[in-house]
Amino acid sequence: MDETLTLSALAVGVLALLPAAKRRIELSRAKHRSLAGHSRMAKRLARWVPGYAYDDAQFFVADNAPADVAAQRKAALQRLGAEFDTRFAKTLAATEQARDTISDLRFTGRYRVPFQFSPVLREHVKVGAFLQHSEGVQVEDLDGNRFYDLTGSYGVNVLGYDAYKECIDEAVATARELGPVLGAYHPCVLEVLSRLKAISGQEEVSFHMSGTEAVMQAVRLARYHTRRKRLVRFAGAYHGWWEDVQPGPGNPLPPRETFTLQDMAERSLKVLATRRDIACVLINPLQALHPNANAPGDSALIDGSRRAAYDREAYTAWLKKLREVCTARGIVLIFDEVFVGFRLAPGGAQQHFGVKADLVTYGKTLGGGLPVGVVCGSRALMTRYREDRPADICFARGTFNAHPYVVAAMASFLKRIERPEVKALYDGLDERWNARCAQFNARLQAAGAPVRMANLSTIWTVMYDQPGRYHWMLQFYLRRHGLALSWVGTGRLIFSLNYGDAEFAAVMDRFIAACDEMRADGWWWTAPELTAKAIRRGVFREMLSQKF
């Protein structure tokens, strides 16, 4: 009798656990198969990867190139470094002086290229971090060298630097009488609110000092109102540097309440449709260009396998399915438009894809050149207290939120995008930049360069159609030919909308010239048996040969 009762109790317990086990299996299947979807495993692996570096001899033969090619590469690197030392002397001196104090400079210098190559590269080729002037689509360093700007100032520069200079000048004039008085609002905030409500299609607005802060507040509001704790993000998406949205390497804390799922996957929709603990889903529309992949950077470019492609129809269909599931399950859908806002359309990604989010975050370009973060949402979601529970609040404040000069710069920017000449930049935007990308790829193919482009409007990803260990060297040839890139290298080109046909043609000419020179210097030599898979195997064997 006792045995029967015990077995029955065990059976009941097992049956009770089955639904939880099923949900756990479904969650595991919905995570991206790579390390991008498995934060804990990625953090463990990051701790295990040994530090090692090539010496002067190994640096030039990492792909088993013959001696004559290695000598060619070595001479080219020395020539390039000597030219940079001369052409960029003042800029490099200022950078070196600042490097001892600014930790960011040491970090970006260390991770500009794959870590195995970094010490020798930094010894031979130094890169400056100072600029003194901008005009049109060009920037100028301390030595008077002018570059076509392809950095986009990390997404800020949508309209062109001259436009933001004017926004800042207008903001100073508008806010001068009040000055930096904090706590109260400058009257121009009323115009900002009106325009943001019209653009976002939402009822209320809150101001913050950065895009990261805006996303933090949006997630906090979602958790507060749903009384759930789980956050869903998609593999590869960037939402700032705070803990819950960056659960893998780079974050000292372990993954906690965050699920990192596959982008554009039915399995992910099933997880959202069956769980009861998910507060919100974060979408960065930039992932439409490279779903389930991190932002492209040359520091990880060891095999040439970087890929990107934008399918607007497919990504729109995905967002609409996501919208349906979130609505049905009471999950807050958050569009993080900090990077893409006002770049895809005057109404942002919501307008571009025809999908309305529950909360929208903006930043970067919205500030008219000054730091800003904004959350827009319905009154129900933006309310930070409960009438019937006076101690139950969702606190969020910042000393510099709604700073008079920042709000005035926002007002100037929001008025500017209504100007006829700015509206004209958005007319036929996709068709114009898609055609330019196709033209660029045709030029690259005709030149025999192993480089291809993919674009999401004015945001471009640079890819390579042959395996190689040295594709990251292209960033230095591009700099030599007067093209300014962000510190991550050749992975991403960000054009401002004010690039005319003549300026764009000049960028193509210089890019092709850089490719020609890089090929001539032997960096794109490749053995017939060399494949991306073989390169990855070789790098893995290198790591295993090191002491962990």
Side-chain angles (χ1 to χ4, degrees), residues 486-521:
S486 64
W487 73 270
V488 298
T490 56
R492 178 166 287 158
L493 309 181
I494 306 174
F495 294 90
S496 49
L497 302 190
N498 65 322
Y499 259 92
D501 290 338
E503 293 90 352
F504 182 77
V507 168
M508 278 197 299
D509 290 342
R510 292 171 183 236
F511 200 105
I512 297 297
C515 289
D516 288 342
E517 189 173 346
M518 179 154 165
R519 181 176 54 233
D521 284 342

Side-chain angles (χ1 to χ4, degrees), residues 353-370:
F353 294 108
V355 177
K356 186 176 179 180
D358 297 310
L359 293 171
V360 188
T361 63
Y362 301 108
K364 297 190 186 292
T365 193
L366 176 60
L370 297 181

Side-chain angles (χ1 to χ4, degrees), residues 1-17:
M1 183 67 177
D2 290 342
E3 288 184 8
T4 302
L5 287 173
T6 301
L7 290 173
S8 297
L10 285 173
V12 170
V14 169
L15 289 173
L17 291 173

Side-chain angles (χ1 to χ4, degrees), residues 141-216:
D141 70 6
L142 306 189
D143 300 271
N145 297 293
R146 294 179 69 86
F147 302 84
Y148 283 94
D149 180 69
L150 299 173
T151 71
S153 284
Y154 300 102
V156 171
N157 185 16
V158 172
L159 301 182
Y161 293 122
D162 295 329
Y164 296 102
K165 289 181 185 179
E166 292 177 13
C167 286
I168 293 172
D169 288 343
E170 291 172 9
V172 171
T174 300
R176 182 182 292 114
E177 290 301 315
L178 178 61
V181 176
L182 304 178
Y185 292 106
H186 189 280
C188 68
V189 77
L190 297 174
E191 183 176 8
V192 169
L193 294 174
S194 176
R195 292 179 182 272
L196 282 175
K197 286 167 64 178
I199 287 168
S200 67
Q202 304 290 351
E203 297 174 303
E204 292 195 7
V205 176
S206 67
F207 297 106
H208 307 273
M209 279 305 298
S210 70
T212 287
E213 288 184 19
V215 175
M216 290 172 71

